Amino acid sequence: MLITHDTECALSILVDLLNTAPEVCGDERLPDVAALDAFVVRQEISEIDSLTEDDLRRVHDLRTRLREVFGTESTAEAADLVNAIVTAAGTTPRLVNHDHHDWHIHYFAPHAALGDHLAAELGMALTFILMAGERERLRRCEAPDCARVFVDLSRNRSRRYCDSRTCGNRLHVAAYRARQRSAETVASA
Ligand SMILES: [Zn+2]
Ligand SMILES: [Zn+2]
C-alpha cells in the first residue's frame, strides 16, 4: 500500500477528531474553544491563529461530513464526499519544512482557518487512501456498543476493533473476567 508517513499522521489526526463526537463518546469531547485549542496543541497542528466559536462550529460540521466517508459502500460514493470537502477548503499545496520536520506538503492555505486547514489536510489523506484502492481500511469498530472509527493499517486488513486500549482490550477483559468467574464458581463448588 502506497501510504506515506505524512498521510498516516493525517489519518491519525482524522481518527482522533472523529472519535471526539458525542455519538461516539456519549458526550462532546470538543465542547468549547478551549477543548479545540487543546486538540490543536495535542496534534501539533501548525499555523493556527487564535480560535473562535465560529471555528468550533465549523470543525463540528466538518467532523460530521468526514465521518460519512467511513460509512460508504463504494469508492465513487466516498470520492464524491471527499471531493466536496477538499474543494470547499480550497487547497494550495506548498512544499515546506518547519520546526523539526523534513520537507513535506501543506495542502491548506497559509494561516487558513482551522476548519479549512483540517478539511484540506484530512480530505487529502482520504484522497490518497481512496486513490490506493483502500477504502475498506476506513472502518467502524465492530464492538457492539462502540461507535468509534479507525483506519486499519494492518498488512492483511484484519482489524475489527478500534484502539486496543478500549474495545479490543475491553472485549478481552470481559472474556477474561467471565473465565475468572467460572473458575471461581468451580473453586468454590
Ligand atoms: Zn507541516
Ligand atoms: Zn471500539
Side-chain angles (χ1 to χ4, degrees):
M1 182 175 55
L2 291 170
I3 296 298
T4 65
H5 174 71
D6 291 337
T7 299
E8 259 186 63
C9 292
L11 291 172
S12 107
I13 296 173
L14 172 67
V15 167
D16 188 14
L17 174 65
L18 294 191
N19 289 335
T20 61
E23 62 267 36
V24 172
C25 317
D27 55 355
E28 172 61 76
R29 294 286 169 89
L30 294 176
D32 49 31
V33 173
L36 191 59
D37 207 43
F39 174 81
V40 166
V41 171
R42 177 169 84 233
Q43 292 294 355
E44 299 181 11
I45 297 170
S46 61
E47 292 186 37
I48 296 300
D49 306 325
S50 66
L51 299 169
T52 66
E53 288 293 329
D54 189 51
D55 289 309
L56 184 64
R57 197 170 38 75
R58 290 174 62 191
V59 168
H60 285 171
D61 244 35
L62 174 69
R63 188 177 61 186
T64 305
R65 300 180 68 200
L66 286 167
R67 188 177 174 81
E68 287 170 6
V69 181
F70 282 67
T72 52
E73 300 289 324
S74 70
T75 300
E77 188 191 344
D80 280 348
L81 295 171
V82 171
N83 284 342
I85 290 167
V86 171
T87 303
T91 59
T92 54
R94 285 172 289 152
L95 190 60
V96 292
N97 69 345
H98 61 92
D99 301 315
H100 50 281
H101 301 293
D102 282 336
W103 290 101
H104 60 286
I105 299 175
H106 281 177
Y107 294 99
F108 59 92
H111 294 278
L114 181 60
D116 286 338
H117 178 127
L118 292 175
E121 293 295 320
L122 308 184
M124 286 306 296
L126 287 169
T127 296
F128 294 132
I129 285 277
L130 296 175
M131 190 172 71
E134 303 285 0
R135 180 188 55 85
E136 287 173 21
R137 292 185 186 271
L138 308 174
R139 299 262 173 90
R140 289 180 174 178
C141 179
E142 289 180 24
D145 55 348
C146 183
R148 291 166 69 92
V149 299
F150 64 95
V151 179
D152 180 7
L153 294 175
S154 70
R155 188 182 299 216
N156 54 2
R157 311 182 198 188
S158 58
R159 256 185 84 188
R160 296 172 55 208
Y161 305 110
C162 66
D163 194 293
S164 61
R165 277 173 312 206
T166 54
C167 284
N169 225 11
R170 192 157 50 84
L171 292 178
H172 289 150
V173 168
Y176 173 76
R177 294 224 173 101
R179 280 197 302 277
Q180 290 283 94
R181 270 197 303 276
S182 59
E184 277 163 25
T185 316
V186 170
S188 64

